[in-house]
Amino acid sequence: DIQMTQSPSSLSASVGDRVTITCRASQSISNYLNWYQQKSGKAPKLLIHTTSSLQSGVPSRFSGSGSGTDFTLTISSLQPEDLATYYCQQSYITPFTFGPGTKVDVK
Amino acid sequence: QVQLQESGPGLVKPSETLSLTCSVSGDSISPYYCNWIRQPPGKGLEWIGHIHYRGSTDYNPSLKSRVTMSVDTSKKQFSLNLSSVTAADTAVYYCARVSSAYYTPLDYWGQGTLVTVSS
């Protein structure tokens, strides 16, 4: 199985801050990396697919980059509604696997 | 608008079989795959497997011996059976759609259903 890691596991930032979350795969997954946002008590929501493609309706302050094994999710200007846990997921090969999540707190 | 809805018992006894259904509305179930993902309370996400609308399946090896998935195209429903459950199977179970077996993201998710394994 491809192992996914994320860092940091949690962070706290102020409104307007730039936030970066890193995801690493245990082997190359090309660009088949997706990001999901999960708010408390809700299902995950797709934010970014295939490394850098913004899902329809997702604010443009979210962006993704990377390739191979190293990927990042950036929130350019953190907003109060971004309070959530963020998961990366590889869709390159089954079993599909998720990172352990990064919990984002807004100060 | 595409909607997925999980349904099934919220409580299952140890050693019994967990059975859930995912109902699709707002779109055809073809040519999609239905994925099942679970999340133990306070923990991360685990992919259980997926089934194509034509019935082909791919299961997580960690659960493969206990998982069966099926589809009823006339009802636009996908089903998950997980046998011989233990407390470790207590989780919120989600169904989610992808458009191909590989490479594509989980674009639509159900709201999830909590299944507790307890006597």
Side-chain angles (χ1 to χ4, degrees):
Chain A
D1 300 4
I2 296 177
Q3 307 304 316
M4 307 298 292
T5 58
Q6 286 182 236
S7 61
S9 56
S10 65
L11 65 91
S12 182
S14 300
V15 172
D17 282 354
R18 183 181 183 89
V19 168
T20 298
I21 299 169
T22 297
C23 176
R24 176 165 289 175
S26 60
Q27 65 185 75
S28 177
I29 56 171
S30 184
N31 65 337
Y32 298 111
L33 189 283
N34 311 303
W35 290 97
Y36 301 87
Q37 176 193 62
Q38 186 177 35
K39 296 185 176 180
S40 181
K42 301 294 187 181
K45 170 189 171 184
L46 177 64
L47 290 180
I48 290 172
H49 64 88
T50 332
T51 297
S52 59
S53 296
L54 201 64
Q55 180 69 355
S56 176
V58 173
S60 60
R61 64 180 180 273
F62 291 94
S63 64
S65 64
S67 68
T69 60
D70 295 310
F71 303 88
T72 58
L73 171 70
T74 299
I75 308 173
S76 61
S77 178
L78 190 68
Q79 299 301 304
E81 60 266 32
D82 299 335
L83 169 69
T85 300
Y86 294 83
Y87 294 94
C88 60
Q89 177 242 344
Q90 63 84 13
S91 52
Y92 180 65
I93 193 169
T94 60
F96 299 139
T97 45
F98 295 84
T102 295
K103 187 173 183 179
V104 174
D105 183 38
V106 182
K107 290 179 184 175
Chain B
Q1 182 177 352
V2 179
Q3 290 191 322
L4 286 75
Q5 178 74 55
E6 304 88 351
S7 60
L11 181 64
V12 180
K13 290 182 168 56
S15 79
E16 295 189 345
T17 296
L18 177 161
S19 295
L20 297 175
T21 297
C22 177
S23 300
V24 180
S25 61
D27 197 1
S28 169
I29 66 168
S30 67
Y32 301 103
Y33 291 75
C34 174
N35 289 253
W36 290 93
I37 300 106
R38 69 181 184 178
Q39 184 172 37
K43 296 188 178 180
L45 299 160
E46 179 182 30
W47 183 77
I48 300 170
H50 67 211
I51 179 168
H52 189 234
Y53 80 101
R54 288 184 174 176
S56 62
T57 56
D58 190 353
Y59 302 145
N60 192 323
S62 68
L63 297 167
K64 188 172 184 176
S65 63
R66 299 194 290 129
V67 171
T68 304
M69 296 180 185
S70 60
V71 57
D72 185 331
T73 54
S74 65
K75 294 182 178 179
K76 295 173 64 177
Q77 289 180 340
F78 297 90
S79 295
L80 167 70
N81 281 355
L82 181 65
S83 65
S84 305
V85 298
T86 69
D89 296 309
T90 294
V92 175
Y93 285 77
Y94 297 100
C95 59
R97 189 186 81 167
V98 295
S99 55
S100 68
Y102 299 95
Y103 309 141
T104 57
L106 300 149
D107 59 357
Y108 287 95
W109 293 63
Q111 65 186 28
T113 186
L114 174 63
V115 178
T116 301
V117 178
S118 175
S119 55

